[in-house]
Amino acid sequence: MSPSLNTSPSASSKDEGGGIAPQNKGSWSSFLKSIASFNGDLSSMTAPPFILGTLSLTEFSAYWTQHPSVFVAPASEPDPAKRALLVLKWFLSTLKPSYSTRNDKYGSEKKPLNPFLGELFLGKWEDEAGTTELVSEQVSHHPPVTAYCIQNAKHGIKLEGYNGQKASFSRTIHIKQIGHALLTLTPPTSSSTTAQSPDPTPSAEKETYLITLPNIHIEGLIYGKPFVELNGCTYISSSSGYAAKIDYSGKGWVSGKKNSFTATLYPAGKEKEVLYTVEGQWPEAFTIRQGSGKHGAVVDTFNARTQPITPLTVPALDQQDAWEANKAWDKVITAITKGDMDATNAAKSRIENAQRELRRKEAAEGRDWERKFFARADKSEEWWDRLAQQGCPGERIESEKTGGVWRFDEGKAREARRPFHEGLSPC
């Protein structure tokens, strides 16, 4: 069977319903009351089957690269300031798929399936940018943490990162994303010259961009049609000496519209010396201008609604390993799609109980779970501290909340192959 093509992380979600069904309105109200009275991290609560989506959180990593040509573009730009701007443009292009796609397709945000430890999601994009490969792995369950790596060998660009979430309730659901992403590329030979150095200077040293993650709150709960809104600000800090700040506003203080944002790019440590300003709505479109404010010359525009999406290729179910997300959750997904809540709960419980048994066996034998693509890294990476201090105010590694600092392990990746955990099954 040939690989299946998906325009979203999982084609199985195509039949997922919209908002809360009329027969579940009473249960939805009861669930909201239980959330409001719950003390602690909401992610530890068991959600009723009728609000479950058909995507696992490991699949969300694919939202970083639905536009591979935008992802790889910085690697071909010789000018460091323009390169940093292209990184900012790419990051902004990921916001709609990451935080709005499910609401657009299905009428409301759904609670994703909580990945089990060792869950994998593997795929690739193939288009004019070449082959861009994705590896996503659940590296921790308590606390839940997903790690990912996306790379395009042709353009020498790689994104890796990890994130966990801590959810709380105060008038609505607030989700703090814990973790970060790192974009690494090798700049091309510089074409710029100066009076002192008329010959182009090669730039072979790799550049690293530290990317922080936005905080989320969920709106529309009372109407049974929840959707994601972003708030606060995030940063991108580059080893090339540039930084970007993105301010999000659900109330639209810039344009009077929801999902608004303003982003600025500037030399690190000189926030008032704005080189470029980006304004718009992240699920819709944005405009890039020179300098600060709304009157600078337009440099570029991006329309998230009309930008073509490159479909992600994932192996067909009969080619997947038991530890890959679509294969492992297949019975749960089928039951959700059919609206069979009893079968959903039974299939989901089977996975959860099997995972508890695996953890008991590991504890009894005194061993840790073997990650196939990622490994814990040093908590105090010098370059990370430097980039954070340079361009990400207040950002710190909260390793105690993510089970460690997670990095892609090239050696492990070379050895990884199906079956990934021979003799073991996730359920």
Side-chain angles (χ1 to χ4, degrees):
M1 187 181 296
S2 61
S4 58
L5 294 178
N6 302 269
T7 56
S8 63
S10 176
S12 60
S13 60
K14 64 183 179 182
D15 297 320
E16 188 176 324
I20 305 303
Q23 65 269 27
N24 292 324
K25 292 289 187 181
S27 298
W28 175 249
S29 296
S30 297
F31 179 61
L32 291 182
K33 290 177 182 178
S34 68
I35 289 176
S37 60
F38 184 80
N39 291 320
D41 186 357
L42 292 179
S43 62
S44 64
M45 288 187 69
T46 299
F50 66 83
I51 69 167
L52 289 176
T54 54
L55 294 178
S56 168
L57 275 173
T58 56
E59 299 178 66
F60 281 35
S61 302
Y63 291 134
W64 283 107
T65 327
Q66 288 198 346
H67 310 297
S69 60
V70 182
F71 172 64
V72 304
S76 300
E77 172 55 60
D79 182 83
K82 292 179 180 178
R83 196 160 55 242
L85 178 63
L86 288 173
V87 171
L88 174 60
K89 176 185 175 181
W90 157 75
F91 172 76
L92 294 171
S93 78
T94 72
L95 297 178
K96 173 179 166 51
S98 295
Y99 303 109
S100 180
T101 295
R102 297 169 301 283
N103 190 76
D104 291 346
K105 284 180 175 287
Y106 314 125
S108 71
E109 188 68 34
K110 298 288 188 176
K111 185 182 185 302
L113 299 169
N114 288 332
F116 50 83
L117 182 60
E119 180 177 316
L120 297 166
F121 185 66
L122 312 174
K124 60 184 177 180
W125 297 268
E126 293 183 300
D127 60 8
E128 66 276 6
T131 299
T132 307
E133 296 182 293
L134 162 70
V135 174
S136 181
E137 181 175 12
Q138 191 71 5
V139 293
S140 175
H141 187 65
H142 292 296
V145 178
T146 305
Y148 50 87
C149 180
I150 300 169
Q151 51 189 331
N152 183 302
K154 176 182 176 181
H155 293 273
I157 190 167
K158 179 174 75 170
L159 175 77
E160 63 176 301
Y162 65 96
N163 68 289
Q165 297 180 335
K166 185 175 178 60
S168 60
F169 185 88
S170 177
R171 301 183 71 179
T172 189
I173 296 175
H174 298 269
I175 302 171
K176 179 183 179 182
Q177 298 199 88
I178 305 169
H180 56 266
L182 303 169
L183 184 73
T184 305
L185 58 86
T186 302
T189 300
S190 173
S191 60
S192 61
T193 63
T194 66
Q196 293 77 20
S197 178
D199 297 320
T201 302
S203 177
E205 184 178 350
K206 287 188 176 182
E207 274 181 6
T208 301
Y209 294 77
L210 172 61
I211 302 166
T212 66
L213 308 175
N215 289 326
I216 299 167
H217 64 270
I218 308 298
E219 298 290 351
L221 291 175
I222 195 170
Y223 302 108
K225 287 196 172 185
F227 65 91
V228 168
E229 184 60 277
L230 306 180
N231 59 274
C233 60
T234 59
Y235 298 90
I236 302 175
S237 178
S238 169
S239 60
S240 64
Y242 294 92
K245 179 182 180 182
I246 306 101
D247 284 294
Y248 308 94
S249 174
K251 295 181 181 179
W253 59 271
V254 174
S255 62
K257 300 177 181 179
K258 70 176 184 178
N259 308 130
S260 298
F261 76 89
T262 298
T264 53
L265 180 74
Y266 45 87
K270 300 178 180 179
E271 192 172 335
K272 293 184 178 181
E273 297 182 16
V274 176
L275 302 175
Y276 299 97
T277 299
V278 192
E279 292 182 330
Q281 291 173 276
W282 51 264
E284 303 290 341
F286 56 81
T287 300
I288 303 173
R289 297 179 183 274
Q290 284 186 332
S292 60
K294 299 181 178 181
H295 304 296
V298 174
V299 175
D300 198 1
T301 60
F302 183 87
N303 190 316
R305 293 286 183 188
T306 60
Q307 180 75 15
I309 292 174
T310 298
L312 176 71
T313 304
V314 299
L317 281 183
D318 61 359
Q319 297 174 2
Q320 289 186 25
D321 184 72
W323 292 87
E324 293 180 67
N326 293 166
K327 182 72 168 281
W329 291 105
D330 183 45
K331 291 182 179 179
V332 175
I333 293 168
T334 299
I336 291 173
T337 302
K338 291 180 177 179
D340 188 336
M341 297 302 101
D342 289 337
T344 298
N345 193 53
K348 187 167 171 283
S349 295
R350 181 183 176 189
I351 294 175
E352 293 167 345
N353 291 334
Q355 288 297 303
R356 292 188 189 101
E357 181 59 29
L358 283 173
R359 302 293 84 76
R360 280 194 289 268
K361 289 182 66 175
E362 289 166 8
E365 296 171 8
R367 57 184 174 86
D368 193 21
W369 177 256
E370 180 187 5
R371 283 80 178 175
K372 287 296 180 180
F373 292 91
F374 296 85
R376 287 185 178 92
D378 188 345
K379 295 180 183 178
S380 57
E381 295 168 299
E382 182 180 344
W383 62 265
W384 193 98
D385 293 336
R386 185 172 64 253
L387 287 181
Q389 292 172 8
Q390 166 187 287
C392 304
E395 187 70 12
R396 66 184 185 88
I397 290 182
E398 299 179 278
S399 57
E400 71 282 359
K401 296 180 181 179
T402 55
V405 177
W406 299 95
R407 297 285 182 256
F408 186 68
D409 190 313
E410 298 281 358
K412 284 188 173 185
R414 283 193 294 270
E415 297 296 324
R417 55 181 54 85
R418 300 178 179 89
F420 294 109
H421 299 281
E422 194 165 8
L424 288 179
S425 173
C427 59

